[in-house]
Each structure stands twice: as C-alpha cells, then as structure tokens.
Amino acid sequence: MAIPSGSGTEVLKRASGTTTATTTILTVGTHKIVTVLSMLIRNGDGTNDTDLYIKANDGSADRVLIYLGENTGKLLKGSTFVMNDKIVLYPADTLIITEDGSVTLTYWVSYIEQDWS
C-alpha cells in the first residue's frame, strides 16, 4: 500500500470480547491503517495464573510483541494487564492474543482506524 496522500477518514473504534485460546482481535482491511491506542486484558477466571502473548502477524509470521510467562511473571488470576504503547498495523496485519488455555481472558482494545479507500 502506498502512503496515502488524499482525503480519508479517522474513526475511534474498539474491539472487545472473551477468549480461552488464541484469538485474532483485529484484521486490518485493504486501504486502512490501524493505530492501537490501548489494550486491557483481564484474567477473570479466578482459578489460575496464565501465560499471555500479544502478537502481530505482518503477513509473513507472528511477531511476539509482549510475553508474560514463566520467566517474566504470568498474568495472575484476577489481575488486569494494561498496555498503553501504540502499535501501528497495515493492511492484512492481524493483532492476536494467546493464553495457555487454562483461563478465560476478557479484552478491550481501543484503536484509530484510518480509511483511505
């Protein structure tokens, strides 16, 4: 995708839900750019700590952006992980969260979608 030079739109959006496995939260459409503003991920299961991966797939591979696990400190039962760093995703990129399958995660992602179509 070429760098846009014409008019387009910018809309604040959100994605939310629950997961017990690998979940694709966002897939960026053609002629769009997404800037992730923040992510809240809660281990609301209340029974187990869990590994947490936040990944982006750039079309060729999953890129682990954040890992909370055995050596870095798991996402504790009843706790919330907050990410306020910005992530830019281009067309066909995906944003993915994965946990080890032992808990239910609740997520809320705020982002800006720029549409140049």
Side-chain angles (χ1 to χ4, degrees), residues 4-93:
S5 60
S7 63
T9 61
E10 291 185 349
V11 179
L12 289 168
K13 293 188 169 189
R14 65 149 169 90
S16 62
T18 59
T19 183
T20 57
T22 299
T23 299
T24 299
I25 297 173
L26 295 171
T27 300
V28 182
T30 305
H31 304 298
K32 295 183 181 182
I33 298 171
V34 166
T35 303
V36 176
L37 302 173
S38 67
M39 294 179 71
L40 297 148
I41 302 172
R42 177 163 170 71
N43 177 355
D45 187 75
T47 57
N48 294 311
D49 301 339
T50 188
D51 291 353
L52 171 67
Y53 293 88
I54 299 174
K55 306 175 193 177
N57 187 297
D58 62 5
S60 62
D62 285 352
R63 311 296 180 182
V64 176
L65 306 176
I66 295 173
Y67 169 66
L68 302 176
E70 201 60 48
N71 297 325
T72 60
K74 294 184 173 215
L75 184 59
L76 302 177
K77 58 187 172 187
S79 67
T80 301
F81 174 77
V82 178
M83 186 204 73
N84 284 320
D85 295 321
K86 312 307 179 266
I87 300 171
V88 175
L89 302 170
Y90 283 178
D93 287 355

Side-chain angles (χ1 to χ4, degrees), residues 6 41 46 56 58 106 115-116:
I41 302 172
D58 62 5
T106 302
D115 187 342
W116 304 97

